[in-house]
Amino acid sequence: MQNDPFSQPGYTENFYDAVGGHGTFVKLIDVFYDGVATDPLLRPMYPEEDLEPAKRRFLMFLEQYWGGPTTYGEERGHPRLRMRHIPFRVTPEAKDRWLFHMRTAVDALELPPLYEGTLWDYMERAALSMVNSPSEA
């Protein structure tokens, strides 16, 4: 998709289809985890040496959330995002690092402004809701 501020989105059933479906979300996840893989603050929050299982879980979650396949719910049940993140110390600094890498990933998609803004708004709200610990300083 071109990032053309004058383009009009075509009608689709849902956001997932409108932004390009599976391929778009795979790219988002791949770019995001490329950043996480080398981030000294975030990488320790992923206990698995191989990030592929985390990538798959996040991909399934986002696809289902935005109207794609319901694989996440079928395999893992209700997302319970805050509960699943409680074991990790998510500070405001970790949230900022997460958003930094997610911003890079969202920008890599080159979505039309309406879709970019919708996706980014969700990511900001989701990241803020995961904070469960005060700053380290």
Side-chain angles (χ1 to χ4, degrees):
M1 276 185 212
Q2 287 291 94
N3 191 7
D4 176 2
F6 300 106
S7 69
Q8 293 296 311
Y11 176 79
T12 61
E13 293 267 336
N14 60 42
F15 187 86
Y16 177 81
D17 292 331
V19 299
H22 181 73
T24 297
F25 285 91
V26 167
K27 182 175 182 177
L28 178 74
I29 295 301
D30 284 345
V31 173
F32 172 74
Y33 277 98
D34 284 349
V36 168
T38 59
D39 191 291
L41 181 60
L42 296 182
R43 184 60 181 95
M45 292 186 194
Y46 295 85
E48 299 160 313
E49 186 172 326
D50 180 8
L51 288 174
E52 289 304 314
K55 289 172 69 171
R56 182 175 182 274
R57 289 187 300 268
F58 196 19
L59 174 64
M60 289 188 310
F61 169 77
L62 288 176
E63 286 187 317
Q64 181 169 318
Y65 181 86
W66 292 105
T70 58
T71 313
Y72 186 93
E74 293 161 10
E75 290 186 14
R76 298 181 54 83
H78 189 282
R80 300 184 307 263
L81 291 179
R82 285 196 46 88
M83 184 197 80
R84 292 183 195 271
H85 289 82
I86 283 295
F88 308 101
R89 191 163 189 272
V90 182
T91 63
E93 293 80 14
K95 171 199 55 103
D96 292 345
R97 294 302 303 160
W98 190 94
L99 284 170
F100 173 81
H101 296 298
M102 186 53 71
R103 180 78 256 175
T104 299
V106 169
D107 288 348
L109 299 178
E110 299 181 342
L111 296 173
L114 174 64
Y115 297 143
E116 181 277 327
T118 300
L119 182 59
W120 184 246
D121 178 65
Y122 170 77
M123 294 301 180
E124 284 186 309
R125 288 182 293 111
L128 183 59
S129 74
M130 294 299 110
V131 174
N132 62 20
S133 298
S135 293
E136 307 233 352

